[in-house]
Amino acid sequence: MSKHNSYLSYSFALLIILLINATYLLGQVSKVKALKYKLSHTNLNDSVKIRTLGDLAYAFSFVHPDSTIKYAKQCLTLSENITCNWGITYSLSILAMGMHANSDNVSAIKYINQSLDLARQTGDNYGEATALNNKAIIYHNLGKLDIALVLYKESLNIRKESKNLNGIANSYNNIGNTYVDKANYPEALESHFNSLQIREELNDSMGMANSYGNIAGIYYLLKKLDETNAYAKKALDMQIILGDYDGIIQSSIALGGVCFEKKEYRKAIDYFNFAKEKAKDQNNLVFGYSKALINLGEVYNEINLPDSAMLCYDEALSILEPNEEIRGISFCEIGLGRSLLLKNKVKEAIVRLKKGYDLAFSLHNKLHLLEGAKYLADAYEKEGNYTLSNQYLRTYIIYNDSIFNEESVQRSHKIEFNYILEKKQNEISLLEKDKVIQKAKNDFQSLLLIGLIVTIILLIVFIYYVNRFRVKEVKAKELIVQQKTEIEKQAQNLASLNNFKNKTFSILSHDLRSPISSLTQVLDLIDQDVMSEEDFKALKQNFRAQLKSINILLDNTLNWAKSQMNGEHNPVKSHVNIDLLVERNFQLFHQIISSKSIEVKKEIDSDLTAWVDTNHLDIVLRNIIFNAIKFTNNYGHVTVKASKENGRAIIQIIDTGKGMSKEVLDKLFTYNIQSGTFGTNGERGAGIGLILTNDFIERNEGTISVQSQVNQGSEFNLSFPLN
């Protein structure tokens, strides 16, 4: 890897590790807007307002620490006013983060310890884990990595006990980043893979993209560019699905960096140009557009196109300077200095390089200082100022030794490891002869052991198949017994139904024969002039009632027969108006009602509906209303009520008729009938109506219950779904 590729050679690992975190930073801006709108345009109760203020303060901690402190204090005041302990814990924790962001670490530690103490006193596990995590972040940023790691792991353990999966994933993420800073890349990789696994379980797409970016960064540090490329592409694919344009920009820049490291310069330029165009479309100039331009400048310098590089740096500077983005300005100035050196404009190059170097010095950025010193040494050498050239060359060597010291330690560790491995291999060779002797002794024992194992396996297989055969035999016997039981049950049902059919048609033949015979005799008397027209008029009302009963009886019988046939079992449901059906049945029985001088009433909302089959409900109401009229004495009362209750339509049919005994009630909906029933005026029925009614009610997910006393009347209660 070339020593003079500043932005890509040394900073690219940091770029990938912080790739999604930078996108998350930009996402906080839109989150701040949403939370501020919610706070000012919504009537919130105190608890929700505390949560919203806390979330807003936390979101500001990434973009404006002063606002974090402001809103955290508002959250704290409100929480203290209503003695909301979790709110106090939450606001103190966020207030600590705001103080830390403002470099007031003494106050930050004070507030975070207060938050932690209160959480432990009140048994707030969530608050305790959050406070520990935030305290770890503070120590992490202060460079106290071992303390941070202990706190992160303590927070992780609490989150595991609470089964807070999102918190567990974040803890693993923070632990992984700490291990990166400690250069313990295997542990870092394991932590980030743990975080990724949980985020996949939670289907947390943004979190998964974050993990992919972090894993890509670690693979880069391990010089595994293929793996880096694979995971950076996974992050990009996820961001495309999410429509996360800021993430797409950052991932495209990262992938361009991988191509640069692999010397695939054409691909690198394509990625950077793609990122540049996307950033321009999204008006993401500082974090996206300028960064893509700086990377393009680095590539153009690398392939000796300094004029193209200078155009990129100058455009980036026009964006970065008004925003006082010192780090980016430093890159641009050093990059311009390198371009001018390539064009042999030494004096102009020195001016640019010195400016970039001074900015890097103000930032204490070793990587930028290393690059600036390298190019300044080259520039002063070309100018003939060997004193300054040697001075900057020494500075370059100092920073280079500092940066690559750890890498040298790692190389020495690797040499030591290889030495130990070689020594161990020699010891193994010396033992080979002993192994040959020992092997001969062990072979016979091994053969015996293998024979024993094979015998045991065969025995197990034999026992398995014997047991399997016995299980099958038992299951076959159980199946036969079950089938026999089902056949006997079906036979009993068939016998019961056949008995019911015989009784029904026996009653039907009796009940139909009598009124038809009577009607025939009356007609004969009229034909023979034995019965006068006045006599016939006197009997006509009675005949009409008898014929109406016969009509209902035949309808019930036909409907019951149809219901037993295939294809008639599934109701066709719709929203049926109950009032209209009740009124229709009152009109149907108008003659009988008038002849018995019965008072009928409705107490039904005109718009009340039930989710049922229209024909089924019509038959149900017709049978129950007809029975109420049939068994009610002259001048009695029949009332139909309907209302909504607990999401169902409730229908009540109440009469003042002759009622039923407990024995009759117990057999009301069974096939165990004895003979036709007669109303108070001799109305006929075969006893099939209520059986049909019960069947249709069940098919429409309804229920029916009856209350009755002899000579006190009856009350039928129906219930059906509203939807």
Side-chain angles (χ1 to χ4, degrees):
M1 181 170 59
S2 175
K3 299 278 185 180
H4 55 268
N5 299 328
S6 63
Y7 192 71
L8 295 167
S9 299
Y10 300 118
S11 301
F12 177 56
L14 181 63
L15 169 68
I16 292 188
I17 292 173
L18 300 179
L19 173 64
I20 308 303
N21 294 330
T23 305
Y24 181 73
L25 175 84
L26 292 165
Q28 295 305 304
V29 177
S30 59
K31 187 174 182 180
V32 163
K33 292 178 181 177
L35 289 168
K36 290 184 75 173
Y37 181 86
K38 179 180 179 182
L39 201 60
S40 59
H41 291 80
T42 312
N43 292 324
L44 306 175
N45 61 43
D46 286 340
S47 181
V48 176
K49 190 172 183 180
I50 288 170
R51 176 62 66 185
T52 306
L53 280 168
D55 291 346
L56 180 59
Y58 182 75
F60 264 123
S61 67
F62 294 91
V63 290
H64 197 265
D66 289 338
S67 295
T68 294
I69 295 170
K70 169 188 169 183
Y71 286 107
K73 285 183 175 179
Q74 290 182 19
C75 182
L76 178 60
T77 301
L78 179 58
S79 300
E80 288 175 338
N81 288 341
I82 64 171
T83 318
C84 176
N85 287 326
W86 70 263
I88 297 171
T89 300
Y90 186 37
S91 53
L92 284 170
S93 180
I94 299 168
L95 186 57
M97 298 302 290
M99 292 296 181
H100 172 62
N102 264 355
S103 301
D104 185 357
N105 292 310
V106 174
S107 297
I109 296 297
K110 181 185 76 172
Y111 286 126
I112 201 67
N113 284 336
Q114 288 177 3
S115 174
L116 187 57
D117 289 343
L118 181 59
R120 286 170 173 167
Q121 289 169 15
T122 57
D124 179 3
N125 291 336
Y126 182 89
E128 182 182 359
T130 302
L132 285 166
N133 184 74
N134 290 347
K135 189 173 182 179
I137 290 172
I138 294 171
Y139 279 111
H140 189 164
N141 293 340
L142 291 173
K144 299 181 179 181
L145 301 182
D146 291 331
I147 296 174
L149 201 56
V150 170
L151 293 170
Y152 280 137
K153 289 183 177 180
E154 191 175 346
S155 176
L156 172 63
N157 290 334
I158 294 172
R159 286 169 170 174
K160 283 182 176 180
E161 290 175 3
S162 303
K163 297 182 180 179
N164 177 4
L165 294 182
N166 189 59
I168 293 169
N170 290 335
S171 290
Y172 275 127
N173 184 77
N174 293 337
I175 290 169
N177 289 338
T178 309
Y179 276 127
V180 168
D181 290 343
K182 288 171 66 67
N184 188 341
Y185 304 134
E187 290 285 356
L189 202 59
E190 182 180 357
S191 294
H192 281 300
F193 271 118
N194 287 337
S195 180
L196 175 61
Q197 182 180 2
I198 295 170
R199 284 166 170 173
E200 287 174 339
E201 291 174 7
L202 294 172
N203 199 26
D204 176 9
S205 300
M206 185 62 76
M208 289 160 62
N210 179 285
S211 293
Y212 291 145
N214 288 330
I215 291 168
I218 296 168
Y219 275 129
Y220 180 82
L221 291 167
L222 293 169
K223 307 305 179 189
K224 295 180 179 293
L225 293 182
D226 290 338
E227 288 83 353
T228 304
N229 189 65
Y231 279 94
K233 280 186 175 179
K234 284 186 177 184
L236 178 61
D237 292 342
M238 186 69 71
Q239 288 150 353
I240 290 172
I241 293 171
L242 293 170
D244 176 13
Y245 294 104
D246 293 322
I248 292 169
I249 294 163
Q250 299 296 329
S251 292
S252 299
I253 291 173
L255 288 165
V258 174
C259 293
F260 182 93
E261 293 294 337
K262 297 172 75 172
K263 301 187 184 305
E264 297 173 352
Y265 300 119
R266 184 68 261 168
K267 287 184 179 180
I269 291 171
D270 288 342
Y271 272 121
F272 294 142
N273 276 324
F274 176 75
K276 186 181 73 168
E277 295 306 315
K278 285 291 182 184
K280 186 177 181 181
D281 291 343
Q282 298 299 312
N283 199 31
N284 179 0
L285 301 181
V286 177
F287 291 102
Y289 191 74
S290 64
K291 189 180 291 185
L293 285 169
I294 293 171
N295 280 280
L296 281 168
E298 295 294 320
V299 178
Y300 288 136
N301 272 339
E302 184 69 15
I303 60 177
N304 202 22
L305 293 174
D307 289 330
S308 298
M310 291 180 72
L311 288 174
C312 293
Y313 290 127
D314 285 335
E315 188 176 358
L317 279 174
S318 69
I319 297 168
L320 296 171
E321 286 180 335
N323 288 278
E324 299 181 354
E325 218 291 296
I326 305 301
R327 186 169 181 269
I329 295 170
S330 173
F331 273 121
C332 289
E333 294 293 349
I334 293 173
L336 283 167
R338 184 186 172 198
S339 300
L340 289 165
L341 277 178
L342 290 172
K343 291 167 65 69
N344 288 318
K345 296 182 178 182
V346 179
K347 289 187 180 298
E348 296 176 44
I350 289 173
V351 173
R352 292 290 191 175
L353 289 168
K354 191 70 172 65
K355 184 177 180 181
Y357 181 87
D358 290 342
L359 289 171
F361 189 82
S362 70
L363 295 171
H364 305 289
N365 190 316
K366 290 183 180 180
L367 297 176
H368 296 185
L369 289 168
L370 175 73
E371 296 300 301
K374 162 92 171 122
Y375 294 127
L376 279 167
D378 291 344
Y380 280 120
E381 183 180 3
K382 285 186 177 182
E383 193 183 42
N385 191 339
Y386 298 109
T387 301
L388 287 177
S389 176
N390 288 333
Q391 178 183 325
Y392 280 107
L393 186 59
R394 283 195 298 272
T395 302
Y396 169 79
I397 292 170
I398 290 169
Y399 284 121
N400 188 64
D401 289 344
S402 174
I403 290 171
F404 290 98
N405 181 58
E406 189 173 304
E407 186 176 333
S408 299
V409 171
Q410 289 178 348
R411 282 198 297 269
S412 67
H413 286 171
K414 184 175 181 181
I415 293 170
E416 182 181 356
F417 173 78
N418 289 335
Y419 170 75
I420 294 171
L421 181 64
E422 185 178 352
K423 183 179 179 182
K424 194 73 175 176
Q425 193 66 44
N426 290 333
E427 292 175 358
I428 293 172
S429 298
L430 292 173
L431 291 173
E432 286 298 323
K433 292 181 180 179
D434 291 338
K435 283 187 177 182
V436 172
I437 297 171
Q438 186 64 35
K439 184 176 180 298
K441 294 179 180 179
N442 293 336
D443 282 346
F444 181 70
Q445 293 179 351
S446 298
L447 288 173
L448 287 177
L449 181 61
I450 291 170
L452 180 61
I453 292 172
V454 170
T455 303
I456 292 172
I457 291 172
L458 291 173
L459 183 60
I460 291 171
V461 171
F462 175 74
I463 293 171
Y464 168 77
Y465 279 105
V466 170
N467 187 61
R468 185 177 176 186
F469 175 77
R470 290 182 61 188
V471 169
K472 284 185 177 180
E473 186 179 11
V474 170
K475 285 184 177 180
K477 289 180 179 179
E478 289 177 351
L479 182 61
I480 292 170
V481 172
Q482 182 181 349
Q483 290 174 343
K484 181 182 178 183
T485 303
E486 290 177 357
I487 291 170
E488 290 174 350
K489 186 176 179 180
Q490 290 173 356
Q492 291 174 358
N493 290 338
L494 286 172
S496 176
L497 285 171
N498 189 55
N499 183 46
F500 172 74
K501 178 203 69 174
N502 292 336
K503 289 183 179 181
T504 298
F505 284 106
S506 173
I507 294 167
L508 278 173
S509 64
H510 176 271
D511 288 352
L512 291 174
R513 185 185 301 115
S514 179
I516 292 172
S517 176
S518 297
L519 182 59
T520 302
Q521 291 174 8
V522 169
L523 292 174
D524 288 341
L525 291 173
I526 293 172
D527 289 341
Q528 297 170 13
D529 295 328
V530 175
M531 181 178 289
S532 67
E533 189 172 339
E534 288 75 15
D535 294 332
F536 179 73
K537 286 180 179 179
L539 294 173
K540 184 168 65 173
Q541 193 66 29
N542 181 265
F543 277 124
R544 183 177 283 112
Q546 293 290 340
L547 290 172
K548 180 67 70 176
S549 298
I550 292 170
N551 186 52
I552 295 294
L553 187 150
L554 288 173
D555 280 348
N556 284 335
T557 304
L558 291 173
N559 282 317
W560 173 80
K562 285 177 65 180
S563 73
Q564 304 305 309
M565 296 169 63
N566 292 332
E568 296 291 332
H569 291 281
N570 296 322
V572 180
K573 293 185 177 183
S574 62
H575 287 102
V576 179
N577 188 286
I578 298 171
D579 184 58
L580 292 178
L581 278 187
V582 172
E583 182 61 33
R584 183 193 301 172
N585 282 286
F586 278 176
Q587 292 298 326
L588 179 66
F589 303 125
H590 176 71
Q591 293 294 337
I592 302 175
I593 292 168
S594 297
S595 68
K596 299 180 75 170
S597 298
I598 292 173
E599 180 184 353
V600 294
K601 291 194 302 182
K602 290 188 301 174
E603 296 178 13
I604 305 172
D605 292 338
S606 60
D607 60 348
L608 180 60
T609 62
W611 182 249
V612 293
D613 185 297
T614 303
N615 292 328
H616 289 181
L617 183 58
D618 191 21
I619 292 168
V620 167
L621 291 174
R622 187 185 310 160
N623 276 286
I624 298 177
I625 291 172
F626 177 67
N627 281 346
I629 295 168
K630 181 168 74 171
F631 294 112
T632 296
N633 294 311
N634 295 347
Y635 305 103
H637 302 276
V638 174
T639 303
V640 180
K641 301 179 181 179
S643 60
K644 295 179 184 178
E645 186 177 321
N646 297 327
R648 295 179 72 82
I650 307 299
I651 305 172
Q652 296 171 281
I653 298 99
I654 306 167
D655 65 63
T656 59
K658 63 183 184 179
M660 293 173 278
S661 65
K662 186 178 183 304
E663 291 75 14
V664 173
L665 278 174
D666 291 342
K667 298 178 181 179
L668 200 59
F669 301 110
T670 67
Y671 289 108
N672 188 18
I673 62 173
Q674 299 299 325
S675 61
T677 54
F678 295 87
T680 56
N681 283 6
E683 299 93 331
R684 296 174 177 274
I688 197 173
L690 287 177
I691 296 171
L692 182 67
T693 293
N694 188 51
D695 186 27
F696 283 167
I697 288 171
E698 288 179 352
R699 292 188 192 183
N700 287 273
E701 300 178 67
T703 62
I704 182 170
S705 63
V706 186
Q707 299 174 4
S708 184
Q709 292 184 14
V710 177
N711 297 324
Q712 297 294 319
S714 302
E715 178 179 330
F716 284 72
N717 292 287
L718 314 178
S719 169
F720 294 100
L722 288 172
N723 293 294

